[in-house]
Amino acid sequence: MTVALWIGQVLPAAIFAVSGALKSTMSRERMLETGQTGAAAYPLPVIRLTAICELFAVVGLILPVLLGIAPALTGWAAVGPAVVMVGAMAMHGRLAIAGHRPAEWRNVGVNTLILALCVFVAAGRL
């Protein structure tokens, strides 16, 4: 179970590290060019705040258990990205339906998988 939890922590942490770094440094136009379609749905300050939260989640998903200092914080750190994934699923679903972009359903699927990993980590670490 410990190995499964570590995998469940490292995968979302890697995803959020890349996503957070890109969202915090790229322009809106560049994000759209690279396929981050959520950049069109929200104001840039909201995207930047989300990026910062994703980077904090990376730290929270790894360090508490790794250092053995308040390891329950890892479970709580997994709750944050889970909430973000619910919002991302809703936004991509809205883009798929209202924006007539069927390709967005793939993003909803990816968000669902990341949500499942975060819920698994939260349940396993709390």
Side-chain angles (χ1 to χ4, degrees), residues 4 11 27 36 53 58 63 68 73 75 85 96 101 107 112 118 126:
L11 287 176
S27 67
Q36 294 191 29
C53 291
V58 170
L63 286 185
L73 290 177
M85 288 301 101
R101 299 180 187 174
N107 293 335
T112 303
C118 291
L126 287 177

Side-chain angles (χ1 to χ4, degrees), residues 18-68:
V18 172
S19 176
L22 294 177
K23 287 178 192 171
S24 64
T25 58
M26 288 183 170
S27 67
R28 178 187 307 279
E29 293 77 24
R30 183 69 179 132
M31 283 186 258
L32 292 171
E33 289 171 6
T34 60
Q36 294 191 29
T37 55
Y42 296 105
L44 193 56
V46 172
I47 295 167
R48 298 285 194 234
L49 177 63
T50 303
I52 292 167
C53 291
E54 288 176 348
L55 294 172
F56 278 123
V58 170
V59 173
L61 284 169
I62 302 297
L63 286 185
V65 173
L66 183 66
L67 299 177

